[in-house]
Amino acid sequence: MNNIVELKNVVKIYHRGDEELHSVAGIDLAVGKGDFVSIVGPSGSGKTTLLNLVGCVDTPTSGTIKIDAMETSRLREKYLAKVRNKKIGFVFQQFFLLPTLTALENVALPALFSEHKAKEERARELLSVVGLSGREHHLPAHLSGGEMQRVAIARALINDPKLLLADEPTGNLDTANAEAIFGLFEKLNQRGLTIIAVTHNMELAKRTKTVRHLKDGRFVD
């Protein structure tokens, strides 16, 4: 299986005064195309930092990162932005929908800054994929939490990413909606999308193909 994500001896150090904080402490990780990986661990274990490194939101202090065979470890920000836009979709615990835009407009928004055509048609298609046909013209205030997260997932898919990164995507949802969102991830994964999800919910994590445990910036499994 070809790897879409490869990390080798990745370290991320933050400085707080004279103190060095090793948020990620020498991680190796390989994620094959079509995998569905969950990363679990206590608060402060480095999960979000790791996801930010994979997502080209941050760069490592040392080590190498490859995304879809491209080394991103030392790329400048303008090139990292291109990788993020073309290859990676992001889903967060907070939905980050613009309150004055409809569901359809929120989904189509990232495509305004890309080369993708037929933005509205693609946005409608994705809202159908996530089960929101008929809700295209609703504002976020008129959607439930689960529906808002579905809009956020559709938005993350608008540029046809090869990799979906989800940081505590069910953290603000009740049990039923959390399970529904993970069910949606499973369907997207069955279509070939590679997914890495950070979660505190072990029951949901067990539904993924691969579970990795993080503690003190290191994998312990």
Side-chain angles (χ1 to χ4, degrees):
M1 182 185 295
N2 295 327
N3 292 327
I4 192 166
V5 175
E6 291 185 11
L7 277 66
K8 292 186 178 180
N9 198 27
V10 169
V11 173
K12 183 63 182 181
I13 299 173
Y14 295 104
H15 292 88
R16 186 169 59 193
D18 294 331
E19 184 181 9
E20 282 192 350
L21 303 175
H22 290 248
S23 184
V24 170
I27 278 182
D28 294 328
L29 175 66
V31 177
K33 292 180 180 179
D35 204 351
F36 186 179
V37 179
S38 56
I39 298 175
V40 299
S43 296
S45 60
K47 301 187 301 296
T48 294
T49 299
L50 177 58
L51 214 61
N52 287 341
L53 291 169
V54 172
C56 301
V57 176
D58 204 351
T59 53
T61 303
S62 61
T64 60
I65 299 174
K66 289 183 179 180
I67 304 298
D68 199 24
M70 175 184 293
E71 185 169 346
T72 62
S73 320
R74 302 289 176 262
L75 288 181
R76 289 185 291 173
E77 172 55 32
K78 69 176 182 178
Y79 297 111
L80 288 174
K82 289 182 179 180
V83 175
R84 290 194 299 267
N85 190 45
K86 291 186 176 182
K87 296 183 181 292
I88 304 171
F90 296 89
V91 179
F92 304 96
Q93 181 173 345
Q94 304 294 332
F95 313 127
F96 296 119
L97 302 181
L98 294 182
T100 58
L101 298 185
T102 65
L104 186 69
E105 290 166 338
N106 267 288
V107 172
L109 188 62
L112 297 176
F113 307 101
S114 75
E115 300 169 357
H116 286 258
K117 308 299 182 184
K119 300 172 182 63
E120 182 175 328
E121 180 181 344
R122 176 63 175 154
R124 286 183 183 277
E125 176 187 336
L126 286 170
L127 284 171
S128 175
V129 167
V130 301
L132 288 180
S133 291
R135 310 288 276 174
E136 294 91 347
H137 301 295
H138 286 65
L139 294 172
H142 300 144
L143 299 172
S144 69
E147 288 173 331
M148 284 192 284
Q149 191 61 298
R150 287 172 181 269
V151 172
I153 292 168
R155 180 184 58 193
L157 301 175
I158 189 68
N159 287 335
D160 296 319
K162 295 187 176 183
L163 174 65
L164 183 68
L165 302 179
D167 191 0
E168 295 289 356
T170 62
N172 284 334
L173 302 177
D174 59 26
T175 300
N177 275 306
E179 291 180 352
I181 290 300
F182 249 70
L184 175 57
F185 284 159
E186 288 171 326
K187 290 179 181 178
L188 293 170
N189 178 245
Q190 288 166 6
R191 294 182 173 205
L193 182 64
T194 307
I195 303 174
I196 303 176
V198 162
T199 181
H200 279 98
N201 190 321
M202 276 304 303
E203 292 305 310
L204 293 177
K206 290 175 183 176
R207 292 169 59 174
T208 65
K209 295 177 179 176
T210 306
V211 182
R212 300 298 307 268
H213 295 81
L214 199 63
K215 183 178 181 181
D216 297 328
R218 292 182 173 89
F219 285 124
V220 294
D221 49 5

